[in-house]
């Protein structure tokens, strides 16, 4: 039989949203590669994308439902799994009401079909669900106050910038295809400045690296704004026509001199002055933001301070400009059955995602009797794991859907295996960087007869007699989801399958200057923020500081070779802590030493890497490690940012000591 090549898409919660091709023979995938004609990803895929083949055929993959018994895990049939879940949900509903069920989900998969979980629990009557974010919520909330929503430029428009501030972003690890555009920009003479407490490998593409004290980015932005205003490097016409609140903002910024900003950020005043002039004079100028700089208690305010630089200089709505954080371009055109199911919700209760453990422990009206976990691994990725694990284990019934026996799945009572992306048809999109909707064709039949989440919840709804639940094939579900998009752009479903769709004429965010704020303008002064108990202006609030016992700030960025915890599944190595040589000397540590990092929440065994690219008084450990290695979130505290209920992971403070017995 001749080998076939079939298109599918990467479902990882990633900036790039790659489209790939699988080579198939006799119902088996022989290899995968990037699809070379994709307008953005152009055939280049990262190590995470290349691992899809290994993950699908890995011997540790879960292939049938597993029930926990007193003697260990027992394989059960799909029918038995459906029967057990049905009985349990019916019993809880009759005794305690639907709010006694907690559905924990996140973004472990970015396709539309697996949103059937949310649809099912809506038709069940409404359950307890998380709100807030572990990833980017503070920045999204900030840009909602400023612009009305978070929109970014098409990546190719960055080539029109004369200056690019790469602010807290490390595309070398997390955004491969942005690196390609930055390389082109640098070759044509664009000045690229990296602002980051850590000199990441993305510095190789930058003209300059500015090392900033963690959590003080807002102060840097205000110091820059002070110099821009007093030096006349602002766009009065843009401010007059499209900005509200400039006078109040200007009054506040006048107090933030270069010298004050220097004292706060650890960057000398001359460097801040030059940075402001690079941004204010050599236009158009573009800011590309990362997500780490808003993972502090002051995270939302930080983004608002940086956004303001774009507004006062008129670098908004122009080619080569923008303050690029998220790019919610296609999501507004997705509707269908999941949205429709919201009308079936009779009861609703939510909790802050960051405080899962505390909520499970304390809620009693009604208490949580069952937890369903989909598209996430909260017992690795959530903060303050000791408390969360204890509370999770006390819940009487727990169901986890996953490809592998994660640390969360290990503590479940029932595990339901997932389909892999190559085993199902789907449509995928990102709201971060890629502006494209990607069609993913079913490449091969699911292994071992796995039915997948869409069909599982469809069958469960039928068994529970949820009459409103749409008993439709997945293709019809997808067609209904993208119907608004088809109508808006005069397309058919076949067009979406056969072409790489993006919204034309939206390559430049806010080009029409029609902001979706209450005023219709960019809001330096946000009455909505004020009504919600926040400062209406962009302001600097100092980040939290460590105590004498725990003086070192822990930074836990994303690694290059794993999307959160997914690709740490098959390693038993211990985490590496990166530490400046001066800090290492202070604590009596040397390269490759074993050490123990301690916080108020717990401790972690690590291997030392002495690296002067990391700032002094900082520890850096990549996030995502499983318990078998040692998760960084045994150290982190459950704290949230000033807006967006964003987990403030980077306000974690530790000490470090050489492990005894070496």
């Amino acid at each position: 039989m001749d080998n076939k090549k079939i298109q599918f898409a990467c479902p990882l919660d990633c900036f790039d949203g790659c489209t790939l091709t699988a080579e198939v023979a006799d119902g088996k995938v022989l290899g995968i590669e990037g699809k070379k004609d994709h307008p953005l990803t152009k055939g280049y895929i990262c190590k995470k994308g290349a691992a899809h083949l290994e993950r699908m055929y890995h011997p540790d993959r879960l292939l049938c439902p597993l029930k926990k018994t007193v003697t260990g895990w027992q394989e059960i049939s799909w029918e038995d799994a459906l029967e057990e879940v049905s009985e349990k949900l019916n019993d809880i509903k009759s005794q305690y009401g639907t709010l006694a069920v907690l559905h924990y989900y996140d973004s472990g998969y970015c396709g539309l079909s697996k949103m059937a979980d949310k649809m099912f629990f809506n038709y069940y009557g409404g359950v307890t669900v998380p709100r807030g974010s572990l990833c980017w919520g503070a920045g999204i909330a900030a840009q909602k106050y400023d612009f009305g929503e978070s929109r970014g430029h098409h990546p190719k428009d960055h080539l029109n910038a004369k200056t690019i501030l790469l602010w807290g972003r490390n595309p070398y690890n997390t955004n491969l295809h942005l690196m390609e555009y930055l390389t082109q920009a640098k070759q044509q003479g664009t000045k690229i400045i990296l602002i980051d407490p850590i000199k990441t490998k993305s510095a190789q593409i930058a003209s300059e690296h500015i090392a900033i004290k963690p959590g003080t980015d807002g102060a840097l932005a205000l110091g820059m704004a002070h110099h821009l205003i007093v030096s006349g490097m602002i766009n009065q016409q843009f401010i007059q026509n499209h900005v509200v609140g400039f006078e109040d903002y200007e009054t506040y910024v006048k107090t933030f001199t270069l010298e004050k900003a220097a004292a706060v950020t650890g960057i000398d005043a001359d460097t801040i002055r030059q940075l402001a002039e690079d941004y204010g004079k050599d236009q158009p100028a573009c800011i590309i933001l990362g997500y780490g700089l808003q993972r502090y208690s002051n995270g939302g305010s930080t983004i608002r301070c940086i956004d303001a630089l774009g507004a006062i200089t008129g670098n908004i709505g122009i080619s080569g400009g923008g303050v690029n954080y998220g790019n919610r371009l296609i999501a507004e055109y997705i509707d269908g059955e999941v949205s429709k199911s919201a009308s079936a919700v009779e009861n609703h209760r939510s909790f802050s995602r960051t405080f899962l453990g505390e909520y499970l422990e304390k809620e009693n009206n009604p208490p949580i009797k069952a937890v369903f976990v989909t598209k996430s691994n909260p017992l690795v990725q959530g903060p303050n794991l000791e408390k969360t694990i204890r509370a999770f284990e006390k819940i009487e019934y727990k169901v986890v859907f996953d490809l592998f026996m994660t640390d969360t799945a290990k503590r479940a009572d029932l595990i339901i295996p997932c389909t892999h992306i190559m085993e199902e048809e789907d449509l995928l999109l990102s709201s971060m960087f890629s502006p494209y909707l990607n069609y993913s064709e079913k490449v091969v039949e699911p292994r071992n007869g796995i039915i997948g989440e869409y069909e599982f919840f469809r069958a469960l709804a039928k068994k529970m007699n949820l009459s409103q639940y749409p008993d439709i094939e997945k293709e019809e579900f997808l067609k209904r989801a993208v119907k608004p998009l088809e109508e808006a752009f005069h397309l058919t479903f076949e067009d979406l399958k056969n072409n790489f769709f993006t919204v034309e004429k939206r390559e430049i965010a806010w080009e029409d200057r029609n902001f979706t704020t209450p005023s219709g303008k960019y809001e330096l002064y946000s009455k909505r923020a004020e009504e919600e108990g926040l400062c209406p202006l962009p302001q600097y609030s100092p980040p939290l500081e460590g105590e004498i016992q725990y003086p070192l700030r822990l930074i836990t960025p994303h690694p290059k070779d794993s999307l959160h915890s997914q690709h740490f599944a098959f390693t038993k190595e211990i985490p590496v802590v990166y530490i400046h040589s001066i800090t290492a000397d202070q604590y009596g540590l040397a390269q490759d030493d074993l050490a123990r990092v301690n916080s108020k929440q717990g401790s972690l065994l690590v291997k030392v890497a002495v690296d002067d690219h990391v700032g002094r008084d900082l520890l850096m450990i990549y996030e995502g490690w499983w318990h078998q290695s040692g998760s960084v979130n045994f150290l982190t505290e459950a704290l949230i940012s000033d807006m967006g209920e964003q987990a403030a992971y980077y306000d974690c403070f530790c000490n470090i000591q050489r492990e005894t017995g070496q």
Side-chain angles (χ1 to χ4, degrees):
M1 181 182 291
D2 292 337
N3 293 3
K4 295 186 295 182
K5 290 202 170 182
I6 301 174
Q7 174 183 306
F8 73 102
C10 183
L12 298 176
D13 183 26
C14 173
F15 286 101
D16 297 61
C18 293
T19 296
L20 304 96
T21 300
E23 184 179 0
V24 183
D26 297 324
K28 185 174 177 65
V29 181
L30 305 180
I32 61 175
E33 62 182 8
K35 191 163 177 60
K36 295 179 175 58
D37 60 344
H38 191 280
L40 178 66
T41 58
K42 301 175 184 177
Y44 299 100
I45 61 173
C46 68
K47 188 174 179 179
K48 299 183 284 284
H52 282 305
L53 185 61
E54 177 194 14
R55 286 172 63 79
M56 187 167 74
Y57 289 124
H58 198 280
D60 292 341
R61 185 178 165 192
L62 303 173
L63 297 176
C64 65
L66 296 174
K67 180 177 180 177
K68 184 174 285 182
T69 71
V70 292
T71 58
W73 292 105
Q74 174 188 335
E75 294 183 3
I76 62 173
S77 69
W78 286 96
E79 183 56 38
D80 286 347
L82 286 163
E83 185 66 33
E84 177 178 313
V85 174
S86 173
E87 287 183 5
K88 183 63 69 172
L89 285 174
N90 280 329
D91 288 346
I92 291 173
K93 186 174 186 178
S94 64
Q95 292 186 55
Y96 304 98
T98 62
L99 294 183
V101 175
L102 186 148
H103 176 208
Y104 188 98
Y105 57 90
D106 216 311
S107 302
Y109 177 96
C110 291
L112 299 183
S113 72
K114 293 187 190 294
M115 292 178 70
D117 56 358
K118 188 174 183 179
M119 182 169 69
F120 171 83
F121 286 111
N122 284 346
Y123 282 118
Y124 175 63
V127 297
T128 300
V129 295
R131 66 176 188 272
S133 173
L134 298 182
C135 183
W136 69 341
I140 292 295
Q143 293 210 322
K144 186 175 180 179
Y145 292 134
D146 294 337
F147 298 96
E149 59 189 296
S150 186
R151 294 183 187 174
H153 289 228
H154 191 291
K156 68 183 180 184
D157 185 60
H158 299 332
L159 297 176
N160 297 316
K162 292 183 179 178
T163 302
I164 295 176
L165 305 188
L166 194 62
W167 206 320
R169 182 93 152 239
N170 183 14
Y172 181 90
N173 275 12
T174 62
N175 195 181
L176 175 66
H177 298 89
L178 175 57
M179 286 294 285
E180 180 185 353
Y181 284 104
L182 293 176
T183 300
Q184 292 180 48
K186 187 176 183 180
Q187 288 171 348
Q188 66 188 28
T190 301
K191 187 168 189 176
I192 302 172
I193 301 171
L194 174 65
I195 304 168
D196 200 304
I198 297 165
K199 190 175 183 180
T200 66
K201 288 192 176 180
S202 293
Q204 67 191 27
I205 207 66
S207 314
E208 180 182 1
H209 168 239
I210 296 176
I212 187 171
K213 182 180 177 182
T216 66
D217 304 82
L220 174 59
L222 291 168
M224 291 171 62
H226 178 276
H227 186 64
L228 290 167
I229 291 170
V230 299
S231 302
M233 290 183 287
I234 58 175
N235 188 322
Q236 293 284 5
Q237 184 177 4
F238 184 87
I239 292 168
Q240 182 176 345
N241 294 334
H242 305 294
V243 175
V244 295
F246 177 74
E247 293 79 10
D248 291 320
Y249 170 77
E250 182 182 24
T251 299
Y252 174 64
V253 167
K254 280 182 177 177
T255 69
F256 238 97
T257 63
L258 291 174
E259 291 71 25
K260 179 177 179 179
V264 172
T265 63
I267 304 166
D268 66 80
D270 286 340
T271 299
I272 299 174
R273 178 184 295 106
Q274 186 60 54
L275 177 62
E277 293 180 1
D278 287 337
Y279 182 73
K281 287 183 177 179
D282 207 3
Q283 296 188 10
C286 162
I287 298 175
I288 303 175
L289 294 169
Y291 296 159
L293 56 81
Q294 47 91 63
R295 291 184 181 141
Y296 299 87
S297 55
N298 64 2
S301 297
T302 292
I303 300 299
R304 291 203 69 201
C305 290
I306 298 171
D307 286 349
L309 293 173
I312 65 174
T313 58
N315 275 300
I316 303 297
I318 62 171
S319 179
V323 184
N324 298 269
Y325 182 79
N327 191 15
R328 290 187 159 179
L329 185 65
I330 293 175
E332 66 185 82
Y333 298 102
I334 303 299
D335 197 6
E337 293 298 331
V338 177
S339 299
K340 182 180 175 183
S341 69
S343 64
V345 173
E346 298 175 359
N347 306 291
H348 176 78
R349 184 171 68 178
S350 65
F351 66 97
S352 184
R353 192 183 299 272
T354 301
F355 298 106
L356 172 62
E358 184 175 332
Y359 185 80
L360 291 174
E361 196 174 69
K362 293 184 177 179
E363 181 55 65
N364 59 12
N365 187 30
I368 299 300
K369 293 295 180 179
V371 176
F372 285 73
V373 178
T374 61
K375 298 175 293 191
S376 58
N377 188 10
L379 299 192
V380 168
Q381 293 303 120
N384 201 350
L385 284 183
E386 290 284 3
K387 173 179 277 192
T388 305
I389 291 168
R390 286 196 307 269
F392 188 87
E393 289 180 331
K394 290 178 182 177
I395 303 301
E396 64 183 54
Y397 190 66
K398 303 167 289 290
V399 180
V400 173
F401 294 73
D402 215 297
L403 284 165
F404 295 97
M405 182 66 77
T406 66
D407 291 303
T408 305
K410 287 177 182 177
R411 289 163 173 81
D413 299 288
L414 180 67
I415 303 173
I416 306 296
C418 297
T419 38
H420 186 275
I421 182 61
M422 286 191 276
E423 298 170 338
E424 60 189 338
E425 178 185 32
D426 213 341
L427 287 165
L428 300 102
L429 66 152
S430 169
S431 293
M432 295 182 282
F433 171 78
S434 173
Y436 291 92
L437 179 70
N438 292 329
Y439 174 72
S440 191
E441 188 174 347
K442 185 178 182 179
V443 176
V444 292
E445 291 299 319
R447 289 184 64 188
N448 204 44
I450 293 173
I451 67 173
E453 293 98 302
Y454 183 83
E455 293 301 337
F456 184 89
F457 284 111
R458 183 183 176 191
L460 183 60
K462 193 177 295 186
K463 182 173 283 292
M464 295 178 64
N465 297 316
L466 301 182
S467 58
Q468 291 180 280
Y469 193 94
D471 186 18
I472 56 176
E473 298 297 322
K474 184 190 291 184
E475 184 179 70
E476 179 61 24
F477 172 85
L478 296 175
K479 286 180 177 179
R480 295 182 188 183
V482 296
K483 192 70 174 176
L485 188 149
E486 293 174 3
E487 291 175 350
F489 299 100
H490 309 292
L491 300 167
T492 66
F493 191 68
E494 290 302 311
D495 291 331
L496 297 176
K497 289 171 66 172
N498 296 320
N499 299 282
F500 303 114
F501 174 79
T502 188
V503 180
E504 301 293 344
K505 300 179 182 178
R506 284 273 295 273
E507 295 179 348
I508 300 169
W510 312 111
E511 189 172 21
D512 59 5
R513 312 299 198 278
N514 291 327
F515 300 99
T516 55
T517 55
S519 67
K521 296 185 177 184
Y522 182 97
E523 296 193 351
L524 282 170
Y525 191 105
S526 170
K527 289 185 178 179
R528 182 161 53 189
E530 189 173 37
E531 289 166 359
E532 294 175 6
L534 300 172
C535 179
L537 292 168
Q539 66 169 354
Y540 174 68
S541 300
L544 300 182
E545 295 290 345
E547 302 171 4
I548 294 175
Q549 187 178 353
Y550 302 105
L552 303 175
R553 186 184 296 274
L554 175 64
I555 302 289
T556 55
H558 292 189
K560 181 178 177 59
D561 296 333
S562 181
L563 200 292
H564 295 305
S565 65
Q566 291 190 34
H567 301 86
F568 282 102
F570 318 125
T571 180
K572 291 183 172 60
E573 298 175 7
I574 66 170
V576 175
V577 61
Y578 298 85
I579 185 170
H580 193 281
S581 59
I582 292 176
T583 311
D585 289 345
Q586 181 182 349
Y587 286 86
L589 298 170
Q591 182 72 20
D592 295 330
D593 275 353
L594 291 182
R596 189 160 293 278
V597 178
N598 306 289
S599 74
K600 289 181 180 179
Q601 285 64 241
S603 69
L604 189 68
L605 182 67
V606 295
K607 184 178 179 180
V608 173
V610 179
D611 186 346
D612 286 351
H613 291 151
V614 177
R616 292 179 59 179
D617 301 321
L618 287 182
L619 304 176
M620 190 193 87
I621 306 174
Y622 287 116
E623 58 93 24
W625 295 87
W626 287 28
H627 297 182
Q628 62 200 17
S629 300
S631 172
V632 294
N633 286 313
F634 283 111
L635 298 171
T636 57
E637 186 176 358
L639 300 168
I640 57 172
S641 60
D642 47 0
M643 57 189 76
E645 292 192 79
Q646 161 71 51
Y649 286 114
Y650 290 4
D651 279 339
C652 175
F653 297 94
C654 303
N655 61 42
I656 188 169
Q657 59 193 49
R658 193 168 183 269
E659 182 72 350
T660 57
Q662 291 190 69

